[in-house]
């Protein structure tokens, strides 16, 4: 956990945000991508989500699923 806290401090984000980011990267790495590719894939996905968020009510979609997503992560 010390490494997570150190990274969070370095990135100026919360440890929870770092853990979420690492969990997302793990998905790509488990699919066979390198660490660098995983970061690129994650960033591309986040950009797609941001670009498409104007097309739907993301809050209505995400809020009901929040607890379920936390249990899975």
């Amino acid at each position: 956990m010390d490494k997570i806290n150190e990274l969070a401090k370095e990135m100026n984000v919360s440890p929870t945000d770092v853990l979420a980011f690492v969990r997302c990267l793990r998905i790509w790495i488990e699919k066979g991508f390198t660490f660098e590719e995983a970061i690129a894939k994650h960033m591309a996905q986040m950009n797609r989500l941001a670009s498409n968020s104007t097309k739907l009510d993301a809050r209505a979609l995400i809020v009901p699923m929040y607890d379920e997503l936390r249990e899975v992560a």
Side-chain angles (χ1 to χ4, degrees), residues 3-72:
K3 289 182 181 184
I4 295 295
N5 290 328
E6 289 175 27
L7 187 56
K9 186 175 180 181
E10 184 178 322
M11 295 173 67
N12 196 29
V13 298
S14 71
T16 304
D17 287 344
V18 172
L19 285 172
F21 178 65
V22 170
R23 287 177 177 142
C24 290
L25 293 183
R26 184 176 62 189
I27 293 168
W28 295 108
I29 291 169
E30 287 175 353
K31 291 182 177 189
F33 293 95
T34 66
F35 182 71
E36 292 80 10
E37 291 170 329
I39 291 173
K41 289 285 192 180
H42 177 69
M43 291 304 298
Q45 184 64 26
M46 293 299 101
N47 286 330
R48 276 191 299 278
L49 288 170
S51 294
N52 292 329
S53 66
T54 59
K55 298 176 186 174
L56 56 88
D57 184 3
R59 182 177 301 276
L61 193 75
I62 293 171
V63 171
M65 296 171 46
Y66 178 74
D67 288 331
E68 182 180 336
L69 292 173
R70 278 190 8 188
E71 291 174 12
V72 173

